[in-house]
């Protein structure tokens, strides 16, 4: 690819760069330069370079690319030497860990001579040093930051970038100041801490004792104290300002922690430690700006559902998503410590936890569904350091917008690609009428920026659509608004917010279709047991109904009357569903649900059931497409603005499987019949992915379902439970 590569400085980084490009046969010749004769000898012997030169001018003759891999403080001198040579068209680049200082030196040296210089920094390396540690694979899957400046042209940037890409690196560009600040925090500060810790302990008289008992913690934390002292001395001198800024912030945090230890403030310690632990565990996901979850991540996750099968067994599906969200929100605003059990450990609910952690609430867990929320009271939230990322979760964004409209600080709420397309004016408009100041993206879409310090006034609001999210949002704002806030709904929607507020001792009056709160009361911590989610159970209710010779029991499912539309609709279609062991748990009705196979028939779905089954329609469409006769749904235009346009996406998929369906603006018409196999797309919508998995029970050939990663938002163990009861769906590939 290039003629002659010259690498000046044959240490770990320079040597690895030379060796990697040489091994890949990308340069006609690789020439090394180093002051140390032993390094020059070894470099040739170890195949790092083709030849070595002692003299810089000889080495650089006819060079196409010159890599400057000397310690940062040697750079100034080296550049002064290079400027005296005839470099022709050669491109200069470097690998220094701090860039401002190098760039200053280059500008000084080449003040009146043309040059093509592309500053760079590979974020790779190890505590090993020297040419003998050179490794052609060192940069694979590592980041390389280029900080292009006026000294280099576009072609030079492209070429340097390409060389790193050939070595397997991910190349990114940044401006110089930003690079130096980021690296001061992520690399330079940790090295400083490791060096001081080892030195400080080593100096003490009992050092033998300390080192003898130094266990994993000390060893892990101080590994980088074995790094090259000269190189690091250079880095700190070169990146002085940025390091000092970071160090001062860190010193403040360290002092706060010292004070907490001194004062026996366990709460403060727990706050720092729980936040840090989660941040550390989920590093990669934070980077990808994703919510936290361990299960299925890839966007291209494909499910393969094999046809046929019968279902049987007893299972408990994960906790209710709506109730899980609310347990964190109200637990955070309560006074005292709230224990939650049965919490849904799916990405959506985890996004809510993270948002409250970001606002200073100490939240332990979740661990096996248990979460401990250390409430801060209605006025105890603190400004988050950055935007609150809500992932795929519309409930988090809409409910939080009400709460945040009344805080003293500004917040920005962002979401993933799907959430970023969803309508937010339904909450922004009424909140503004209460005095909130909210900016949205174009057409009322996220991100939302909410200005703090506003005085809200209560109002009576007639909702234009039946939405529990809008109702809950306004009730939460109403906790802070002068006077009373009432919300009237055009049709019943889930009432978990009203029930749970009462469970926390906050008065809510519900008269007919109107719920009312007034400010001036407080929430008191409580114990919450989250029932299994009927919206997750729905997949198995349809599975048990449509599969042959099947019988399944779903344990401990929430059967709040605002959620049971799925049961009513399946029964109207001829489904065989019975509720057993009905009881009330923490203010919510619960039952074990038994479902047996039945020959379903098509129906006109009563419109008043639509809000009570709003999340269950994708899987109900599957039931309808294998039922006898025609099913008609009307009055369900809300489905078009869920995680996907659920009318269109389901119609497309069912058509691909050979069903007879016709989408309408506010619903769908489905002629029941047989389902074949085929290829369908979930469009990142969890409920679509799971619905087509269920369809396989009656399909005649396999169904490949694309874009299933978001199943993890509401039902992380869907595949495991499906397998347990006999549904033959599994991950096909992670493309
Ligand atoms: C939810 C309400 C419903 C539902 C969503 C969760 C809630 O949305 O679709 O999955 O927890 O309040 P709408 O209230 O917007 O219909």
């Amino acid at each position: 690819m290039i003629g002659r590569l010259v690498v000046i400085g044959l240490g770990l980084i320079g040597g690895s760069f030379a060796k990697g490009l040489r091994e890949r046969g990308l340069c006609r010749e690789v020439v090394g330069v180093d002051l140390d004769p032993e390094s020059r000898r070894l470099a040739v012997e170890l195949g790092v370079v083709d030849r070595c030169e002692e003299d810089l001018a000889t080495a650089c003759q006819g060079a196409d690319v010159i890599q400057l891999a000397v310690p940062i403080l040697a750079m100034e001198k080296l550049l002064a030497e290079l400027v005296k040579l005839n470099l022709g068209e050669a491109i200069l680049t470097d690998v220094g860990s701090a860039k401002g200082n190098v760039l200053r030196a280059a500008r000084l040296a080449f003040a009146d001579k043309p040059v093509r210089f592309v500053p760079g920094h590979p974020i790779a390396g190890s505590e090993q040093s020297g040419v003998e540690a050179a490794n052609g694979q060192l940069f694979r899957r590592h980041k390389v930051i280029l900080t292009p400046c006026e000294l280099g042209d576009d072609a030079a940037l492209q070429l340097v970038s390409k060389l790193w890409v050939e070595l397997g690196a991910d190349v990114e560009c940044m401006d110089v100041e930003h690079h130096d600040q980021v690296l001061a925090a992520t690399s330079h500060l940790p090295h400083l801490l490791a060096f001081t810790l080892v030195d400080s302990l080593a100096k003490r008289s009992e050092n033998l004792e300390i080192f003898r008992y130094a266990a994993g913690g000390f060893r892990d934390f101080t590994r980088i104290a074995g790094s090259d002292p000269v190189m690091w001395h250079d880095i700190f001198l070169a990146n002085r300002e940025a390091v000092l800024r970071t160090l001062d912030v860190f010193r403040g945090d360290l002092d706060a922690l010292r004070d907490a230890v001194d004062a026996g403030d366990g709460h403060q310690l727990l706050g720092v430690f729980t936040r840090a632990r989660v941040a550390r565990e989920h590093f990669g996901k934070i980077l990808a700006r994703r919510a936290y979850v361990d299960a299925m991540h890839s966007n291209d996750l494909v499910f393969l559902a094999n046809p046929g099968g019968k279902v049987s067994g007893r299972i408990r599906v994960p906790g209710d998503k709506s109730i899980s969200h609310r347990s964190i929100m109200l637990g955070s605003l309560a006074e005292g410590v709230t224990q939650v059990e049965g919490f849904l450990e799916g990405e959506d609910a985890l996004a809510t936890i993270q948002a409250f952690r970001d606002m200073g609430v100490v939240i332990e867990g979740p661990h096996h569904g248990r979460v401990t929320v250390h409430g801060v009271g209605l006025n105890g939230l603190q400004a988050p350091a950055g935007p609150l990322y809500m992932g795929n979760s519309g409930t988090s964004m809409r409910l939080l917008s009400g709460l945040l409209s009344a805080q003293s600080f500004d917040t920005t709420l962002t979401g993933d690609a799907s959430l970023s397309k969803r309508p937010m004016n339904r909450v922004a408009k009424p909140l503004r009428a209460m005095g909130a100041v909210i900016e949205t993206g174009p057409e009322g879409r996220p991100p939302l920026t909410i200005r703090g310090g506003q005085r809200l006034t209560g109002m009576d609001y007639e909702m234009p659509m039946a939405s529990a999210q809008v109702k809950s949002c306004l009730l939460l704002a109403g906790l802070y608004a002068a006077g009373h806030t009432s919300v009237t709904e055009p049709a019943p929607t889930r009432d978990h917010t009203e029930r749970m507020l009462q469970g926390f001792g906050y008065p809510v009056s519900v008269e007919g279709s109107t719920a009312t709160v007034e400010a001036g009361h407080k929430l008191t911590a409580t114990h919450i047991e989250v029932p299994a989610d009927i919206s997750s159970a729905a997949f198995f209710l349809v599975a048990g109904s449509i599969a042959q010779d099947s019988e399944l029991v779903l344990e401990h499912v929430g059967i709040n009357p605002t959620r049971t539309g799925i049961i009513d609709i399946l029964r109207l279609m001829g489904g065989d569903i019975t509720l057993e062991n009905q009881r009330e748990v923490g203010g919510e009705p619960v039952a074990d649900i038994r479902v047996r196979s039945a020959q379903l028939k098509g129906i006109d779905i009563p419109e008043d059931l639509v809000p009570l089954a709003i999340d269950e329609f994708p899987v109900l469409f599957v039931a309808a497409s294998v039922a006898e006769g025609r099913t008609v749904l009307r009055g369900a235009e809300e489905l078009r603005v869920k995680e996907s346009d659920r009318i269109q996406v389901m119609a497309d998929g069912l058509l691909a499987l050979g069903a007879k369906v016709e989408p309408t603006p506010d619903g769908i018409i489905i002629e029941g019949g047989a389902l074949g196999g085929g290829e369908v797309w979930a469009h990142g919508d969890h409920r679509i992915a799971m619905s087509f998995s269920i369809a396989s029970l009656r399909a005649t050939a396999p169904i490949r379902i694309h874009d299933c990663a978001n199943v993890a938002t509401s039902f992380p163990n869907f595949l495991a439970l499906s397998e347990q009861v006999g549904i033959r769906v599994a991950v096909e590939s992670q493309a």
Side-chain angles (χ1 to χ4, degrees):
M1 202 169 77
I2 60 170
R4 179 168 299 151
L5 167 70
V6 177
V7 178
I8 306 172
L10 296 168
L12 172 72
I13 299 289
S16 299
F17 183 81
K19 194 170 186 211
L21 291 175
R22 186 166 180 268
E23 279 169 357
R24 284 170 182 74
L26 293 167
C27 314
R28 197 169 27 78
E29 190 186 34
V30 180
V31 181
V33 187
D34 200 283
L35 293 176
D36 173 32
E38 183 60 10
S39 295
R40 295 201 298 270
R41 190 187 66 74
L42 274 172
V44 176
E45 192 178 302
L46 297 171
V48 170
V49 295
D50 294 300
R51 66 180 160 98
C52 270
E53 296 295 341
E54 191 180 347
D55 175 53
L56 196 59
T58 319
C60 290
Q61 255 165 33
D64 293 291
V65 174
I66 303 175
Q67 175 63 279
L68 316 178
V70 299
I72 300 188
L73 294 190
M75 200 67 95
E76 202 172 324
K77 213 167 128 215
L78 174 60
L79 287 161
E81 295 282 314
L82 285 167
V83 80
K84 294 184 211 148
L85 307 178
N86 176 10
L87 298 176
E89 284 293 290
I91 295 168
L92 265 53
T93 182
D94 82 311
V95 294
S97 302
K99 303 266 51 103
N101 179 280
V102 173
L103 194 56
R104 266 192 302 278
R107 283 182 180 135
L108 204 69
F110 289 91
D112 36 41
K113 210 176 156 189
V115 69
R116 300 166 80 201
F117 180 41
V118 182
H121 174 205
I123 308 197
S126 75
E127 67 283 11
Q128 295 178 317
S129 43
V131 72
E132 48 278 50
N135 167 8
Q137 305 291 326
L138 185 69
F139 307 109
R140 271 187 59 143
R141 302 222 182 90
H142 282 267
K143 285 212 174 355
V144 170
I145 302 175
L146 300 180
T147 57
C149 59
E150 79 290 351
L151 297 182
D153 55 31
D154 207 42
L157 175 65
Q158 293 311 325
L159 183 73
V160 172
S161 168
K162 213 152 172 229
L163 292 176
W164 285 114
V165 169
E166 291 290 345
L167 293 175
D170 300 325
V171 176
E172 284 182 22
C173 289
M174 249 187 213
D175 75 55
V176 175
E177 291 74 30
H178 189 208
H179 168 277
D180 285 0
Q181 195 58 58
V182 169
L183 268 290
T186 56
S187 169
H188 307 171
L189 178 65
H191 278 84
L192 195 84
L193 299 182
F195 284 128
T196 17
L197 181 65
V198 177
D199 184 49
S200 163
L201 295 191
K203 274 195 311 221
R204 285 162 49 169
S205 54
E206 70 278 33
N207 59 21
L208 259 187
E209 197 68 348
I210 289 172
F211 284 107
R212 181 169 302 130
Y213 297 111
F218 178 80
R219 219 168 290 140
D220 288 351
F221 185 78
T222 58
R223 178 180 60 80
I224 50 179
S227 305
D228 182 353
V230 176
M231 180 178 112
W232 281 98
H233 137 283
D234 279 17
I235 290 173
F236 284 106
L237 297 179
N239 201 20
R240 181 170 172 272
E241 285 83 22
V243 167
L244 288 179
R245 269 195 296 275
T246 296
L247 196 56
D248 288 345
V249 172
F250 181 74
R251 232 169 37 177
D253 290 341
L254 199 59
D255 282 346
L257 220 50
R258 188 203 171 280
D259 292 347
V261 173
D262 188 16
D265 183 350
H267 186 258
Q268 164 80 0
L269 296 176
L270 201 58
V272 174
F273 298 166
T274 44
R275 282 199 305 275
R277 179 186 185 186
V278 179
R280 180 68 185 84
E281 274 171 17
H282 300 291
F283 226 35
K285 287 159 206 155
I286 292 173
L287 280 179
R289 294 187 60 73
R290 295 169 30 77
Y292 300 165
V293 81
D294 285 329
M296 320 154 180
H297 316 125
S298 155
N299 265 338
D300 300 326
L301 198 68
V302 175
F303 284 3
L304 183 66
N306 280 309
K310 63 175 197 171
V311 298
S312 62
R314 286 182 83 90
I315 52 170
R316 178 164 171 168
V317 299
D320 188 281
K321 185 150 73 89
S322 294
I323 298 177
S324 295
H325 282 302
R326 287 156 172 85
S327 69
I328 300 304
M329 296 178 189
L330 300 192
S332 296
L333 299 180
E335 292 174 19
V337 178
T338 290
Q339 297 285 354
V340 184
E341 277 177 74
F343 185 83
L344 166 66
E345 298 187 34
E347 290 184 352
D348 279 9
L350 295 175
T352 293
I353 290 196
Q354 188 55 28
F356 281 89
R357 282 194 174 123
D358 288 346
M359 292 189 285
V361 182
V362 175
I363 302 175
E364 297 173 76
H367 183 65
H368 299 153
R370 291 178 72 92
V371 182
T372 306
V373 188
H374 297 252
V376 294
L378 275 166
N379 297 306
L381 296 178
Q382 293 161 18
L388 299 173
Y389 179 65
M390 309 279 94
N392 191 249
S393 178
T395 308
S396 309
M397 188 172 283
R398 296 206 178 112
L399 270 59
L400 271 172
S401 64
L403 187 61
L404 296 175
S405 291
Q407 302 302 317
S408 57
F409 48 84
D410 295 355
T411 35
T412 298
L413 305 181
T414 63
D416 72 0
S418 154
L419 182 54
S420 299
K421 288 191 212 129
R422 297 183 66 186
M424 292 297 148
N425 276 340
R426 55 181 58 200
V427 287
K429 279 188 179 156
L431 285 171
R432 284 184 195 126
M434 292 174 76
V437 177
I438 303 184
E439 293 145 32
T440 69
E443 297 164 41
R445 317 233 180 260
L448 298 183
T449 298
I450 302 174
R451 300 280 165 217
Q454 313 301 320
R455 286 200 155 277
L456 303 191
T457 312
M459 68 164 174
D460 298 323
Y461 187 63
E462 298 254 354
M463 273 195 299
M465 77 283 284
S467 167
Q469 293 182 350
V470 176
K471 173 176 65 175
S472 304
C473 161
L474 298 178
L475 292 177
L476 289 175
L479 304 183
Y480 298 86
H484 72 262
T485 302
S486 74
V487 187
T488 303
E489 51 192 12
T493 67
R494 65 193 67 190
D495 61 358
H496 306 300
T497 305
E498 297 91 302
R499 284 176 190 250
M500 202 184 285
L501 276 170
Q502 283 161 339
F504 275 92
Y506 202 103
V508 181
S509 95
V510 181
E511 276 171 46
S513 55
T514 303
T516 307
V517 292
E518 59 170 12
H521 302 272
K522 64 171 191 167
L523 287 89
T524 307
T526 184
H527 183 104
I528 292 177
E529 219 183 290
V530 183
D533 197 331
I534 190 166
S535 297
S536 297
F539 300 103
F540 295 99
L541 292 178
V542 171
S545 302
I546 67 174
Q548 313 294 325
D549 306 323
S550 294
E551 179 165 350
L552 198 58
V553 177
L554 299 157
E555 294 174 345
H556 205 79
V557 181
I559 50 160
N560 179 313
T562 59
R563 299 286 297 280
T564 45
I566 172 78
I567 296 178
D568 299 335
I569 294 171
L570 280 175
R571 280 180 173 158
L572 287 172
M573 295 175 80
D576 179 355
I577 295 173
T578 45
L579 303 184
E580 298 170 359
N581 195 13
Q582 291 193 43
R583 57 217 182 259
E584 193 168 299
V585 178
E588 291 278 349
V590 167
D592 300 330
I593 309 181
R594 185 180 297 272
V595 56
R596 297 188 185 86
S597 313
Q599 179 51 61
L600 301 182
K601 47 187 194 326
I603 57 165
D604 269 15
I605 298 176
E607 270 192 49
D608 59 344
L609 290 180
V610 168
L612 311 183
I614 192 69
D615 291 334
E616 287 67 72
F617 283 107
V619 77
L620 279 169
F621 296 169
V622 170
S625 53
V626 298
E628 241 173 50
R630 163 187 291 215
T631 296
V632 181
L633 172 68
R634 294 188 199 84
E637 58 276 10
E638 271 300 295
L639 294 181
R640 293 204 178 268
V641 290
K642 291 291 179 190
E643 285 84 327
S644 68
D645 175 344
R646 287 182 172 162
I647 293 175
Q648 195 58 48
V649 168
M650 282 306 295
D652 291 346
L654 288 170
L655 281 169
L657 301 181
K660 291 197 195 110
V661 301
E662 190 193 326
T664 61
D666 69 339
I668 199 164
I669 302 168
I670 301 176
E671 286 300 340
L675 283 182
E679 195 116 358
V680 298
W681 274 261
H683 291 268
D685 185 332
H686 53 139
R687 300 203 196 278
I688 305 287
M690 293 187 274
S691 298
F692 283 117
S693 305
I694 301 304
S696 65
L697 288 164
R698 288 287 288 275
T700 52
I703 305 177
R704 289 185 79 222
I705 313 161
H706 291 268
D707 207 358
C708 295
N710 279 339
V711 166
T713 61
S714 68
F715 201 158
N717 61 341
F718 172 72
L719 290 179
L721 284 185
S722 294
E723 188 189 349
Q724 190 181 325
V725 301
I727 304 169
R728 301 173 192 164
V729 58
V731 171
E732 183 197 60
S733 69
Q734 227 151 349

